[in-house]
Amino acid sequence: MGLGVTWRVVAGSVVGTSHVAAGLGCQDSCWAQVDTTPGRSPILSIFVADGAGSALRGGDGAELAIKTAAEFMQKQLALTEFGLGDDFAVECVMDIRAALFSEADKASLKARDFACTFLGIVSSELGTLVMQIGDGGIVIDVGDGLEVPIAPMSGEYANMTHFVTDEDAIDRLISKVFNKPAVKAAAFSDGVQRLAIQLATNTAHEPFFAPFFKVLSTATAEQEDQLQQALLRFLNSDAVNERTDDDKTLALAVLT
C-alpha cells in the first residue's frame, strides 16, 4: 500500500432504549484497530459481537468474544506470516468458543448463557477477509463500490439468529476472501442493520454510509477521539432511536 498509507477507524456501541427501560446495560461490544509490525504493512481488524437478549450473560459473552478475537489477532501478528483465509476465520471462532465455554464452566453455567453473534473484517495490502455468525452486517468496498458480502443470518423463526456458542457454529460460519484491501469497511450489530442495509435487495444503503466515509477520509489522527464522540451521539440520537430500540454498534474504516 505504500509508505504512510493506512486506515482511519472509528467505532462505538450505545445501549438501546428498550434496554434502558428494562434497567439493562449495553450487550454489544466492538473492536477496530490498525496494527503495524516490523516488516509488515498496516493491517486493519474490525470485530463486532452482540450478546443474545435471551442469554443470561449475553453481554459478557460479547465482551469476551471481542477480547478473544483481539488476542487472536495479536497472536497472528506475532507470526512470521499468516494467511487471510477460511482457516483464519475458523481458528478465530474456535478460540472464541473455547473462551466462552471455559467462562461458562467457571461460572457453573451453560455456554448458551454467554451466547453472542460475531462479525469480523481483517484487511491488508494483500487482501481482505470477512467472517460472520449471526445477524448484524458487514459492508465493504474493495474497489468496485459498496457491497454486502454476507447476507445477515436469521434463524428458523423471525427475530432468531445463530450464535458462536451454537453446536453447529462452525458450520454456520461464513467467510469470504477478496484479493484486494478494503478501501471502505463497516461492521455493525443488528440494531443498525435496518438503517444500513436494504434488506429486500441485500445491498448497502449508501446514503447512510456516505457522510461517515467522507468525514473519515479527511480526518486526522488527532481527531479520532472527536470522531468517536460524534459517532456515539449519532447512535444515541432521537432520529436513530425512533428507528430501533436495540443496542447499536457501528465500526467504520477508510483507507487513506
Side-chain angles (χ1 to χ4, degrees):
M1 287 185 286
L3 185 64
V5 178
T6 185
W7 285 270
R8 183 72 60 226
V9 299
V10 64
S13 301
V14 299
V15 64
T17 54
S18 63
H19 286 196
V20 172
L24 301 173
C26 183
Q27 294 178 320
D28 284 4
S29 188
C30 65
W31 161 280
Q33 183 164 303
V34 178
D35 288 287
T36 303
T37 58
R40 276 210 181 97
S41 59
I43 297 177
L44 167 72
S45 57
I46 293 175
F47 304 121
V48 169
D50 178 1
S54 59
L56 181 65
R57 293 180 58 183
D60 292 335
E63 186 174 342
L64 181 56
I66 296 303
K67 178 178 180 290
T68 305
E71 290 172 349
F72 175 82
M73 190 70 213
Q74 294 308 306
K75 287 191 294 185
Q76 300 305 303
L77 290 168
L79 300 175
T80 303
E81 61 180 30
F82 63 91
L84 292 179
D86 294 338
D87 288 347
F88 183 105
V90 170
E91 289 173 19
C92 181
V93 171
M94 290 294 287
D95 271 15
I96 292 171
R97 284 175 56 82
L100 293 174
F101 276 73
S102 175
E103 187 66 18
D105 284 344
K106 287 190 290 185
S108 298
L109 295 170
K110 297 178 180 179
R112 178 66 179 76
D113 293 322
F114 294 84
C116 63
T117 63
F118 178 73
L119 304 89
I121 304 170
V122 183
S123 188
S124 75
E125 66 177 353
L126 300 178
T128 300
L129 166 69
V130 297
M131 50 187 164
Q132 181 167 343
I133 296 178
D135 52 19
I138 292 171
V139 167
I140 61 168
D141 178 357
V142 293
D144 300 314
L146 295 180
E147 61 179 292
V148 181
I150 301 172
M153 301 178 191
S154 299
E156 185 177 354
Y157 304 102
N159 298 320
M160 290 185 65
T161 190
H162 305 294
F163 301 108
V164 179
T165 50
D166 292 347
E167 289 185 6
D168 61 350
I170 299 302
D171 293 330
R172 295 289 186 181
L173 170 66
I174 297 178
S175 59
K176 292 190 176 182
V177 179
F178 301 84
N179 62 3
K180 298 178 182 179
V183 179
K184 300 171 183 174
F188 41 90
S189 63
D190 70 325
V192 177
Q193 190 171 309
R194 68 178 62 185
L195 304 175
I197 296 179
Q198 303 276 13
L199 295 178
T201 56
N202 195 41
T203 56
H205 184 47
E206 299 205 19
F208 174 81
F209 290 103
F212 293 114
F213 289 139
K214 181 179 180 180
V215 170
L216 267 181
S217 65
T218 59
T220 64
E222 291 73 22
Q223 293 175 315
E224 284 194 355
D225 287 344
Q226 299 173 36
L227 291 176
Q228 187 191 35
Q229 291 306 310
L231 175 61
L232 294 177
R233 286 195 298 273
F234 167 78
L235 292 175
N236 206 30
S237 65
D238 290 341
V240 172
N241 285 331
E242 287 171 0
R243 298 285 304 277
T244 175
D245 64 357
D246 199 0
D247 294 340
K248 298 168 287 290
T249 292
L250 178 59
L252 303 121
V254 170
L255 189 64
T256 59

